[in-house]
Amino acid sequence: MDQDVKSMGATSSNPREKHEALGEDSLPQPVQQRNVLQEKQKGLFYRFYLRLCEVAIVLSIVLSAISIFSEREESSLQRLRGHFSCSKAGQDYKITYIAIPGFFKQDKSSADPDKIGPAPDRFGLIDHHKHYWTNFDKKIQKLNKKSDSDTSYKVLFLGRHGEGFHNVGMDYYGQDEWDRKWGRKNGNGTITWGPDAQLTDRGVAQAERVHSLWQKELTRGGGIPLPTAFFVSPLIRALHTFQITFAGIVDDPEPLIIENLRDSYGLRTADLRHNKTWIREQYPTYRFEDGFTEQDELWMKDERETDEHTEKRVRGVLDKILTIEDTYLAIVAHSKVVEATFNITKHQDFDVPTGGMAVDVSAPNPSR
Ligand SMILES: *[C@@H]1O[C@H](CO)[C@@H](O)[C@H](O)[C@H]1NC(C)=O
Ligand SMILES: *[C@@H]1O[C@H](CO)[C@@H](O)[C@H](O)[C@H]1NC(C)=O
Ligand SMILES: *[C@@H]1O[C@H](CO)[C@@H](O)[C@H](O)[C@H]1NC(C)=O
């Protein structure tokens, strides 16, 4: 079993170095080589850049939109982006997020996950008038129409994977024993949770419940607005949950697999991912973000990633995906990723249960 872990090539001889290498800037760095496309685009964007620092958000909308929908162009544009670090008064330009409360039960300070459950009717939307989804969509459109050019409102469907074998193991042994001993192993002889924990039957049923909810809400309240951009963690429990959730809801959702949407990593074998070839074989229609490595290069055998680090990398993902044009987006990932997203968008704390989905209405807004 240990052999398995090794063959996935994820152990690092110097975990700390890898950990730090990810650091501030896990986004691709600028490179020296240039091609024609890059030069052309550079000229174009450079003019924008020189004109007004304030357009940075618009710029990143353009760049991100292209980077999501065209893999080939992404790399040069991503590199290009590295050349622009917009700053004013010596400070870095940063996007801030603010969650807009009042739409969903989950964003009330009194929200109780046990009472609300993982997949409440209307996904927790408070409005229950006849055309509740139509009303909701109108409100979001109105917010976007009224907002200044620097601000846009996004609706993020945030899914947590269904129960995995590691969840069962951790409940059984308790977190201390899990991190001290059991979580480091691949299983206990009865069940297997590593590498890359799979969904249990209960986890599959949980994902099916969210799928049914989507189906139901499509025919109710005027019809739930469907996401038009999809993102998923590369871990199998999230990929599988995604597949079940959106089967038949959206034709070929072709989600983008993003490394930094993965669960907190290190120590626990459940969080060590499969290689890219294997993932591609299992999910042939899913796309990979540019630069997705064949082997898991982040997982560390003896060290667990900190929450601060998770938050930093999730922020990097949000900065990219919340600045594309789409208003309705869906992510299927992990509790830590949902938690980090809530922290970053200053959303009310809400512990989304396994196999749950919550909606975060947020406005990315650049600030200095
Ligand atoms: C392994 O763990 C499962 C639950 O996680 C438990 O039901 C089972 O008894 C354990 N097996 C052994 C051999 O301890
Ligand atoms: C990818 O993983 C699979 C299954 O774990 C393994 O059989 C295969 O050899 C691996 N391929 C590479 C290129 O690492
Ligand atoms: C989210 O914020 C809470 C409270 O500040 C903190 O304890 C937790 O570590 C943060 N989690 C993540 C994943 O950033």
Side-chain angles (χ1 to χ4, degrees):
M1 284 220 165
D2 280 338
Q3 206 51 35
D4 268 345
V5 178
K6 270 226 186 68
S7 73
M8 284 177 63
T11 44
S12 156
S13 52
N14 187 349
R16 192 165 289 279
E17 193 178 288
K18 281 237 162 89
H19 200 131
E20 271 157 14
L22 183 75
E24 280 279 349
D25 246 322
S26 55
L27 295 179
Q29 294 298 304
V31 290
Q32 299 314 315
Q33 321 121 301
R34 305 202 171 127
N35 58 33
V36 178
L37 176 71
Q38 202 175 338
E39 284 296 347
K40 231 163 75 190
Q41 275 153 347
K42 191 185 170 196
L44 180 67
F45 286 115
Y46 213 69
R47 283 201 296 278
F48 273 111
Y49 173 68
L50 290 178
R51 235 200 284 148
L52 256 191
C53 221
E54 269 78 354
V55 299
I57 182 73
V58 180
L59 196 64
S60 76
I61 289 173
V62 174
L63 291 177
S64 306
I66 296 170
S67 75
I68 301 283
F69 295 113
S70 158
E71 261 208 357
R72 228 186 107 245
E73 278 174 11
E74 182 189 32
S75 53
S76 45
L77 283 172
Q78 285 275 335
R79 288 175 196 141
L80 179 69
R81 198 176 180 185
H83 291 291
F84 301 96
S85 111
C86 193
S87 63
K88 207 172 184 179
Q91 277 189 310
D92 277 342
Y93 202 87
K94 203 174 168 186
I95 302 169
T96 57
Y97 299 95
I98 183 81
I100 316 296
F103 288 110
F104 293 88
K105 285 180 190 166
Q106 292 92 329
D107 45 53
K108 284 190 177 167
S109 58
S110 57
D112 177 354
D114 290 335
K115 279 207 192 110
I116 293 175
D121 268 357
R122 307 185 300 281
F123 285 100
L125 188 72
I126 295 166
D127 181 8
H128 56 269
H129 291 93
K130 196 164 179 232
H131 298 292
Y132 51 84
W133 287 123
T134 314
N135 295 342
F136 177 69
D137 187 42
K138 273 193 193 140
K139 281 179 200 158
I140 300 295
Q141 283 188 29
K142 197 165 157 201
L143 281 172
N144 272 325
K145 231 176 242 148
K146 280 199 322 201
S147 66
D148 57 63
S149 62
D150 273 356
T151 309
S152 59
Y153 292 83
K154 305 290 180 188
V155 179
L156 195 52
F157 290 94
L158 277 170
R160 181 182 176 194
H161 63 81
E163 180 190 78
F165 281 99
H166 66 304
N167 299 120
V168 177
M170 189 151 40
D171 284 349
Y172 184 73
Y173 291 106
Q175 185 158 333
D176 289 345
E177 267 304 277
W178 188 249
D179 280 335
R180 193 187 65 79
K181 180 175 174 190
W182 291 100
R184 299 172 184 240
K185 298 174 181 289
N186 287 334
N188 67 357
T190 314
I191 61 171
T192 302
W193 50 72
D196 206 358
Q198 309 243 7
L199 292 184
T200 62
D201 288 346
R202 182 159 174 259
V204 170
Q206 288 170 331
E208 282 166 354
R209 189 176 51 199
V210 178
H211 169 81
S212 307
L213 181 59
W214 274 102
Q215 243 169 359
K216 217 161 64 178
E217 297 301 339
L218 273 175
T219 62
R220 282 180 171 184
I224 188 169
L226 281 173
T228 50
F230 300 86
F231 308 93
V232 64
S233 146
L235 290 163
I236 179 120
R237 53 189 181 272
L239 292 162
H240 195 179
T241 301
F242 184 96
Q243 184 185 41
I244 297 169
T245 303
F246 290 107
I249 302 292
V250 188
D251 295 332
D252 300 326
E254 295 184 356
L256 189 71
I257 301 172
I258 297 182
E259 181 88 276
N260 277 335
L261 284 179
R262 65 190 292 172
D263 209 344
S264 297
Y265 49 78
L267 217 72
R268 305 174 182 170
T269 61
D271 303 322
L272 173 56
R273 74 159 165 85
H274 276 86
N275 61 45
K276 186 179 180 181
T277 306
W278 187 91
I279 298 171
R280 182 174 273 143
E281 275 164 18
Q282 304 294 314
Y283 298 93
T285 60
Y286 293 14
R287 295 169 307 133
F288 290 89
E289 67 173 327
D290 193 56
F292 192 89
T293 57
E294 175 63 30
Q295 307 295 341
D296 184 340
E297 293 179 5
L298 300 176
W299 192 84
M300 306 158 288
K301 197 165 186 290
D302 302 306
E303 194 187 343
R304 188 134 178 99
E305 186 191 23
T306 61
D307 272 7
E308 291 72 36
H309 196 269
T310 305
E311 191 171 314
K312 205 184 267 179
R313 67 174 160 88
V314 170
R315 179 182 286 279
V317 176
L318 295 183
D319 285 354
K320 277 211 244 169
I321 70 177
L322 288 183
T323 47
I324 65 170
E325 279 171 17
D326 303 60
T327 299
Y328 292 94
L329 304 98
I331 292 178
V332 175
H334 310 269
S335 60
K336 279 290 178 194
V337 172
V338 175
E339 188 184 306
T341 303
F342 285 166
N343 282 1
I344 294 161
T345 59
K346 298 166 213 74
H347 184 283
Q348 172 65 35
D349 272 352
F350 184 80
D351 219 349
V352 177
T354 48
M357 195 166 256
V359 191
D360 188 350
V361 181
S362 290
N365 193 341
S367 66
R368 271 133 267 157

